[in-house]
C-alpha cells in the first residue's frame, strides 16, 4: 500500500543535496527519513549499503521505509539483513519482520519470529492474539471463497483507493492528476498529491469513466476518503492540514492530516471547515458515518491511542456540534495500525488492521456491534479480499452484497487499485427463525401477538408482532440457543426454548397459545394462572435471576390491572438441608421477591410474605425419605396467594 494508512498523506518538504562522503550521505538520508521522505531516503540508503557501508540503523530504516510504503517483500529483505546482524532489537521490529515474512509466504518463519516477539513483549495484544489463536490461518481459510472479485475498471497506473457512494456515484481517491511539469510529488511515496474523483455507477455497481469530483474540495495538497450523508448535502473528507490558503504544521514542522467538512449549496461544495477535535499535533483521517448519521468513526493517533493508529468514534449532536472522541477499545484496536472504518446498517464494523492475525500487511476484518455498544469477535474476511499485501477501505451495500475495497496486491494496474466484489456467502452463519401463532384449541390464526426473542441468558434481543396470517420471524445465528416468548390478550403467555441448527437455513417454531382459564379470586394462587411453579434463584442465593424477573413481570402486569389486589407471597424449599437453614433461605427469597415488586412500582402495603422452608411439603419427601429429583422439585415452589381484590 503506497499512500493510504494514517500517515500516508503527510506533507513533506524535500531538499536536494550534494554530499560526497558516505557518512554525510547517511546523515542527509536520516534527515529525509525523519521527515517521512521515504522514497529519497531509500535511494540513498540502498546506494550506501551497496558500497559496503552497512549498519543496523540503515537496515532498520530501509525496512521501515518499505514497510510504511506497503512494499512488504522489500521490507522483508532489509529486515532479514537487520536480524542477520543483530537480534538485540526493539520488539516492534520482530512484529514488522513477521508481517513482512508473511507477505512473501514464509509463514512458518513468521510464526517463529512472532513467538519471539511474544516472549519480549508479553503484554502486547498482537502477540496475545496470535498466541490465543495459532490456528488463525485455518480460520481465514474457512472464511474464504465467499467473493467474486474483479478490477473496478477505474484504476490508473498511479495510486487509486478509498471509495464512497454518493448520488449513485462512486467517489474515490487518486494520484492520477500529474498536471504539468511543475506538479509536485509526495516525498513519502514519490506519487503526485491525491484528489477526489467520481464515476457514475451502472448495473451491478459497475463504475463508468471517472472525472474530478469538485474543484472547491480538491486543493493543491492531498484529499482522500470521503463519506457523505444520505441526503447528499454534507461530506466529511481527509485532507492535509491546509485551509483558506494556510498550511499548518506540528512541533517538528510536519504537515499532518485532518478531517474536514463541507456542505452542498447550489451544486457547489462550500463552507469547508475542519472538525473541532482536529489538532496540528496529531492526525485524524478516513471518516465513516453510522447508518443513522449520529456517530462519526475515524482513524487517529491522538492521545489515548493504543498503537500507531486506532479507530475512534464521536457523537454528532442535533445542533451539528460534536462530542468527545472515544477510542473503540482493545477488542478492535491493537498496538499496530487500525484504520479505514466502515459501518453497515447491520451493525457491523469493517476495518483494516495489521495488528490482528492476518496474511501480512493490512487485512480487512469485521466485528458485530452489540446493542450495548460492545464489539463481538473480530474476524478476518478471508483470502478473496485479503492478500499478503495491504488490503483496506472495504465498503459493502448490504442489500445487493456488492461493494469495493482497495489493495496493492500483485497483478494490479497501479500502486494501489480499487476492486469491486460480489459477496456470495455471508461470513457469519445465519438462520431464519420463523413460525405461526395459533389458538391451541381451534387452530385459529392469531395476529397481533407479541413475540419476544431472548438469548440463552434471557437478555432481550428484539420484539416483533405476528402479522395478519399469524406469522413471525427473526434473523438468528447458527448454533445458538434462544428463548421465544409469545403473549396475547386473553391468552396464557407461553415461552419455548429452541436451539438453532449449525448450518445456514431456516428453523420452524410454531407456537399455539391457550385461552386464559384462570379466574382471579381471593384465595387463588396467581402464579398458577401463568404456570409459575417457582421463582428461580442461584444456588444458596436470594438475588432475583433474569428468568425469575420474566415471571415476575407477569405478576406485576396483573397487579397493575387490579390496583386493589393484595398478595401473600410464600416461598418453599424441599427437605434437603437443615430445617433452620431452609426456613431462613426461603424467607430471604420471599422478601427478595417482594422487594423486586416494590422496586417496580407496587405499593408495599399490597404485599406480605414469608418463607416456610420445608414446613409445607406437598408429598412424602420429608427428611430421610429417598425421593427423585422431580419429586423434590414439587416442594421447591413459590405461591402468590390473592388476599384481597
Amino acid at each position: 500500500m503506497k499512500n493510504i494508512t494514517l500517515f500516508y498523506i503527510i506533507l513533506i518538504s524535500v531538499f536536494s543535496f550534494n554530499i560526497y562522503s558516505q557518512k554525510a550521505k547517511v546523515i542527509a538520508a536520516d534527515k529525509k527519513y525523519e521527515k517521512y521522505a521515504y522514497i529519497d531516503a531509500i535511494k540513498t540508503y540502498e546506494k550506501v549499503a551497496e558500497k559496503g557501508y552497512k549498519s543496523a540503523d540503515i537496515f532498520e530504516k530501509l525496512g521501515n521505509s518499505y514497510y510504511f510504503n506497503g512494499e512488504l517483500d522489500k521490507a522483508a529483505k532489509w529486515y532479514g539483513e537487520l536480524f542477520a546482524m543483530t537480534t538485540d532489537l526493539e520488539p516492534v521490529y520482530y512484529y514488522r519482520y513477521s508481517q513482512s515474512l508473511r507477505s512473501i509466504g514464509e509463514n512458518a518463519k513468521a510464526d517463529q519470529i512472532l513467538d519471539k516477539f511474544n516472549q519480549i513483549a508479553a503484554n502486547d495484544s498482537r502477540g496475545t492474539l496470535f498466541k490465543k489463536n495459532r490456528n488463525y490461518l485455518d480460520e481465514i481459510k474457512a472464511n474464504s471463497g465467499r467473493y467474486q472479485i474483479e478490477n473496478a475498471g477505474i484504476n490508473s497506473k498511479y495510486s487509486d483507493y478509498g471509495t464512497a457512494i454518493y448520488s449513485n456515484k462512486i467517489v474515490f481517491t487518486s494520484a492520477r492528476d500529474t498536471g504539468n511539469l511543475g506538479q509536485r510529488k509526495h516525498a513519502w511515496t514519490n506519487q503526485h498529491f491525491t484528489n477526489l474523483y467520481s464515476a457514475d455507477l451502472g448495473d451491478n455497481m459497475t463504475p463508468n469513466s471517472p472525472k474530478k469530483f469538485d474543484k472547491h474540495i480538491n486543493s493543491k495538497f492531498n484529499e482522500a476518503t470521503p463519506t457523505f450523508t444520505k441526503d447528499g448535502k454534507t461530506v466529511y473528507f481527509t485532507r492535509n492540514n491546509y485551509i483558506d490558503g494556510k498550511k499548518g504544521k506540528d512541533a517538528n514542522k510536519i504537515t499532518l492530516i485532518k478531517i474536514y467538512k463541507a456542505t452542498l449549496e447550489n451544486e457547489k461544495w462550500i463552507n469547508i471547515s475542519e472538525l473541532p477535535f482536529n489538532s496540528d499535533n496529531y492526525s485524524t483521517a478516513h471518516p465513516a458515518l453510522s447508518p443513522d448519521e449520529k456517530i462519526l468513526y475515524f482513524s487517529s493517533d491522538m492521545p489515548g491511542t493504543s498503537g500507531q493508529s486506532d479507530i475512534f468514534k464521536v457523537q454528532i449532536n442535533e445542533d451539528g456540534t460534536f462530542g468527545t472522541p472515544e477510542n473503540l477499545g482493545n477488542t478492535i484496536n491493537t498496538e499496530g495500525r487500525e484504520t479505514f472504518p466502515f459501518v453497515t446498517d447491520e451493525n457491523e464494523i469493517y476495518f483494516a488492521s495489521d495488528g490482528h492475525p492476518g496474511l501480512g500487511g493490512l487485512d480487512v476484518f469485521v466485528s458485530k456491534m452489540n446493542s450495548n455498544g460492545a464489539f463481538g469477535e473480530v474476524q478476518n474476511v478471508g483470502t478473496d479480499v485479503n492478500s499478503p499485501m495491504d488490503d483496506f477501505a472495504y465498503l459493502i451495500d448490504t442489500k445487493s452484497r456488492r461493494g469495493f475495497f482497495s489493495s496493492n496486491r500483485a497483478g494490479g494496474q497501479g500502486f494501489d487499485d480499487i476492486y469491486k466484489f460480489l459477496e456470495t456467502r455471508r461470513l457469519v452463519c445465519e438462520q431464519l427463525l420463523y413460525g405461526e401463532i395459533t389458538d391451541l384449541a381451534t387452530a385459529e390464526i392469531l395476529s397481533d401477538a407479541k413475540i419476544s426473542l431472548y438469548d440463552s441468558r434471557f437478555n432481550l434481543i428484539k420484539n416483533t408482532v405476528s402479522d395478519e396470517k399469524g406469522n413471525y420471524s427473526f434473523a438468528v445465528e447458527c448454533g445458538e440457543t434462544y428463548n421465544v416468548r409469545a403473549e396475547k390478550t386473553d391468552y396464557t403467555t407461553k415461552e419455548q426454548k429452541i436451539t438453532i441448527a449449525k448450518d445456514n437455513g431456516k428453523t420452524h417454531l410454531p407456537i399455539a397459545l391457550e385461552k386464559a382459564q384462570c379466574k382471579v379470586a381471593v384465595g387463588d394462587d396467581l402464579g398458577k394462572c401463568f404456570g409459575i411453579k417457582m421463582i428461580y434463584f442461584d444456588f444458596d442465593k436470594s438475588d432475583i435471576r433474569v428468568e425469575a424477573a420474566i415471571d415476575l413481570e407477569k405478576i406485576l402486569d396483573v397487579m397493575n390491572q387490579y390496583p386493589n389486589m393484595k398478595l401473600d407471597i410464600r416461598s418453599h424449599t424441599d427437605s434437603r438441608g437443615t430445617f433452620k437453614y431452609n426456613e431462613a433461605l426461603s424467607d430471604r427469597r420471599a422478601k427478595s421477591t417482594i422487594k423486586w415488586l416494590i422496586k417496580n412500582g407496587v405499593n408495599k402495603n399490597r404485599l406480605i410474605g414469608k418463607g416456610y422452608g420445608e414446613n409445607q411439603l406437598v408429598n412424602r419427601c420429608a427428611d430421610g425419605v429417598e425421593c427423585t429429583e422431580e419429586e423434590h422439585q414439587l416442594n421447591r415452589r413459590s405461591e402468590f396467594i390473592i388476599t384481597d381484590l
Side-chain angles (χ1 to χ4, degrees):
M1 181 176 62
K2 302 298 185 293
N3 63 342
I4 40 64
T5 58
L6 186 58
F7 308 111
Y8 279 21
I9 52 177
I10 296 175
L11 178 63
I12 309 296
S13 297
V14 182
F15 300 94
S16 61
F17 62 94
N18 185 18
I19 303 173
Y20 298 95
S21 71
Q22 299 301 326
K23 187 174 181 180
K25 287 180 180 180
V26 171
I27 293 172
D30 287 346
K31 291 180 179 179
K32 294 181 182 295
Y33 177 90
E34 289 166 3
K35 290 182 175 291
Y36 307 106
Y38 292 137
I39 297 299
D40 289 335
I42 285 171
K43 292 176 182 177
T44 301
Y45 287 140
E46 287 189 331
K47 287 180 181 178
V48 169
E50 287 170 2
K51 293 183 178 181
Y53 188 89
K54 300 180 180 182
S55 72
D57 184 65
I58 286 179
F59 293 149
E60 282 181 8
K61 290 173 179 174
L62 270 169
N64 290 344
S65 296
Y66 280 118
Y67 185 87
F68 290 125
N69 261 333
E71 297 184 75
L72 301 184
D73 53 341
K74 295 177 181 177
K77 170 188 173 182
W78 292 110
Y79 285 143
E81 294 283 354
L82 173 64
F83 274 77
M85 180 173 286
T86 179
T87 56
D88 184 18
L89 297 163
E90 294 180 20
V92 67
Y93 288 101
Y94 283 82
Y95 189 79
R96 291 175 187 166
Y97 188 28
S98 72
Q99 289 280 293
S100 302
L101 287 168
R102 214 171 295 289
S103 76
I104 56 176
E106 296 189 22
N107 289 312
K109 187 174 182 180
D111 288 349
Q112 293 175 4
I113 297 296
L114 205 52
D115 277 331
K116 293 178 181 177
F117 170 77
N118 236 342
Q119 295 171 15
I120 60 177
N123 295 325
D124 192 299
S125 64
R126 293 171 292 182
T128 302
L129 286 168
F130 168 73
K131 190 175 181 180
K132 182 179 177 181
N133 188 8
R134 296 189 68 92
N135 296 321
Y136 69 94
L137 289 174
D138 292 335
E139 292 190 9
I140 292 174
K141 183 178 180 180
N143 293 344
S144 303
R146 302 184 303 107
Y147 292 92
Q148 296 175 4
I149 292 174
E150 58 184 297
N151 189 298
I154 51 175
N155 294 305
S156 66
K157 64 180 182 179
Y158 302 97
S159 189
D160 303 287
Y161 68 92
T163 57
I165 303 299
Y166 161 70
S167 188
N168 202 38
K169 301 176 187 291
I170 182 175
V171 183
F172 64 98
T173 309
S174 180
R176 69 185 64 199
D177 181 16
T178 59
N180 51 42
L181 293 176
Q183 180 81 13
R184 295 186 303 168
K185 289 186 176 182
H186 196 308
W188 182 315
T189 63
N190 202 35
Q191 290 269 305
H192 294 279
F193 284 98
T194 59
N195 287 143
L196 297 182
Y197 284 75
S198 68
D200 292 332
L201 290 175
D203 294 340
N204 297 327
M205 293 178 70
T206 301
N208 294 314
S209 298
K211 58 184 179 181
K212 274 194 175 182
F213 178 62
D214 185 90
K215 65 180 181 180
H216 299 92
I217 288 181
N218 287 329
S219 70
K220 61 182 179 180
F221 294 104
N222 289 296
E223 282 78 34
T225 54
T227 185
F228 297 86
T229 54
K230 293 173 184 175
D231 63 9
K233 294 182 179 180
T234 302
V235 61
Y236 300 90
F237 62 98
T238 308
R239 179 196 276 180
N240 283 118
N241 185 354
Y242 176 79
I243 192 169
D244 297 330
K246 297 180 180 179
K247 180 176 58 175
K249 296 183 179 180
D250 69 2
N252 297 317
K253 300 191 182 303
I254 301 296
T255 296
L256 303 178
I257 51 178
K258 294 183 175 182
I259 298 173
Y260 292 85
K261 175 183 176 181
T263 55
L264 185 66
E265 294 184 18
N266 299 321
E267 302 303 316
K268 293 182 180 179
W269 289 101
I270 61 173
N271 301 323
I272 297 176
S273 60
E274 66 170 277
L275 299 191
F277 50 84
N278 286 332
S279 170
D280 291 346
N281 296 313
Y282 56 76
S283 290
T284 56
H286 314 317
L289 282 166
S290 62
D292 62 8
E293 301 180 355
K294 294 180 179 179
I295 297 175
L296 188 73
Y297 295 83
F298 62 95
S299 301
S300 181
D301 63 338
M302 64 171 55
T305 301
S306 302
Q308 293 171 265
S309 64
D310 281 3
I311 299 176
F312 291 77
K313 68 177 181 179
V314 63
Q315 191 78 27
I316 304 175
N317 301 318
E318 290 186 7
D319 60 1
T321 60
F322 291 83
T324 302
E326 299 176 42
N327 190 297
L328 292 195
N330 57 16
T331 300
I332 300 297
N333 293 315
T334 69
E335 286 81 355
R337 297 175 291 173
E338 278 71 44
T339 185
F340 292 98
F342 177 75
V343 179
T344 74
D345 56 5
E346 295 181 340
N347 294 323
E348 293 174 317
I349 181 168
Y350 290 87
F351 62 98
S353 171
D354 67 0
H356 292 274
L359 300 173
L362 290 172
D363 274 17
V364 175
F365 295 85
V366 63
S367 175
K368 192 85 169 180
M369 293 187 287
N370 300 326
S371 56
N372 62 1
F375 293 94
E377 178 188 6
V378 171
Q379 295 193 72
N380 187 300
V381 301
T383 57
D384 311 292
V385 168
N386 291 321
S387 72
M389 303 303 286
D390 284 322
D391 310 285
F392 54 96
Y394 183 100
L395 174 155
I396 187 170
D397 172 63
T398 58
K399 304 300 184 292
S400 66
R401 309 310 295 179
R402 296 182 181 275
F404 301 91
F405 71 95
S406 305
S407 178
N408 70 334
R409 64 187 56 194
Q413 188 171 337
F415 290 84
D416 300 306
D417 286 305
I418 298 169
Y419 295 84
K420 58 178 291 192
F421 66 77
L422 169 65
E423 185 187 54
T424 58
R425 174 172 61 85
R426 286 179 178 262
L427 177 60
V428 178
C429 177
E430 291 189 345
Q431 278 240 354
L432 184 71
L433 174 62
Y434 74 104
E436 309 79 39
I437 309 301
T438 58
D439 183 294
L440 178 63
T442 66
E444 176 188 355
I445 288 171
L446 298 180
S447 61
D448 297 319
K450 180 182 177 183
I451 317 299
S452 302
L453 180 70
Y454 296 87
D455 65 15
S456 59
R457 296 184 178 181
F458 287 90
N459 296 309
L460 178 64
I461 299 173
K462 62 183 72 172
N463 294 312
T464 190
V465 175
S466 58
D467 63 19
E468 68 277 2
K469 295 183 179 180
N471 296 318
Y472 76 93
S473 64
F474 296 108
V476 294
E477 294 186 20
C478 302
E480 294 295 322
T481 297
Y482 296 92
N483 294 281
V484 182
R485 177 179 176 185
E487 50 192 322
K488 185 176 174 61
T489 304
D490 298 328
Y491 284 85
T492 301
T493 298
K494 187 173 184 179
E495 293 167 3
Q496 290 187 225
K497 180 181 288 188
I498 183 74
T499 298
I500 307 301
K502 294 184 178 180
D503 300 318
N504 284 295
K506 297 180 179 181
T507 298
H508 186 218
L509 180 64
I511 301 176
L513 297 181
E514 188 175 6
K515 276 278 191 179
Q517 301 296 323
C518 182
K519 301 295 182 181
V520 178
V522 174
D524 288 344
D525 181 356
L526 184 58
K528 290 183 178 179
C529 290
F530 303 103
I532 301 173
K533 296 183 176 63
M534 62 183 295
I535 296 298
Y536 287 89
F537 297 88
D538 288 325
F539 176 73
D540 202 27
K541 301 288 185 181
S542 58
D543 300 322
I544 298 294
R545 281 172 45 174
V546 176
E547 302 97 311
I550 292 174
D551 279 335
L552 288 178
E553 287 280 359
K554 304 169 188 175
I555 301 296
L556 180 65
D557 182 63
V558 176
M559 294 197 76
N560 289 334
Q561 292 179 43
Y562 295 86
N564 295 319
M565 177 184 286
K566 294 182 180 181
L567 292 181
D568 178 7
I569 297 172
R570 305 171 183 178
S571 177
H572 303 270
T573 70
D574 60 36
S575 62
R576 292 176 293 186
T578 67
F579 181 90
K580 184 177 180 180
Y581 174 82
N582 285 335
E583 189 172 52
L585 178 62
S586 64
D587 197 59
R588 291 198 304 272
R589 289 177 170 179
K591 287 179 170 54
S592 181
T593 302
I594 292 172
K595 183 178 178 181
W596 188 95
L597 290 167
I598 293 172
K599 181 181 177 181
N600 285 275
V602 177
N603 190 299
K604 63 181 180 180
N605 296 326
R606 300 172 63 192
L607 301 167
I608 60 172
K610 64 176 288 188
Y612 292 85
E614 56 184 275
N615 281 322
Q616 297 182 6
L617 302 176
V618 297
N619 57 23
R620 63 185 181 86
C621 298
D623 290 336
V625 178
E626 186 175 341
C627 291
T628 66
E629 180 59 37
E630 289 74 17
E631 288 174 314
H632 282 304
Q633 176 71 64
L634 293 175
N635 289 314
R636 296 198 306 272
R637 65 197 190 279
S638 298
E639 296 173 321
F640 299 85
I641 306 302
I642 301 170
T643 60
D644 197 355
L645 282 173

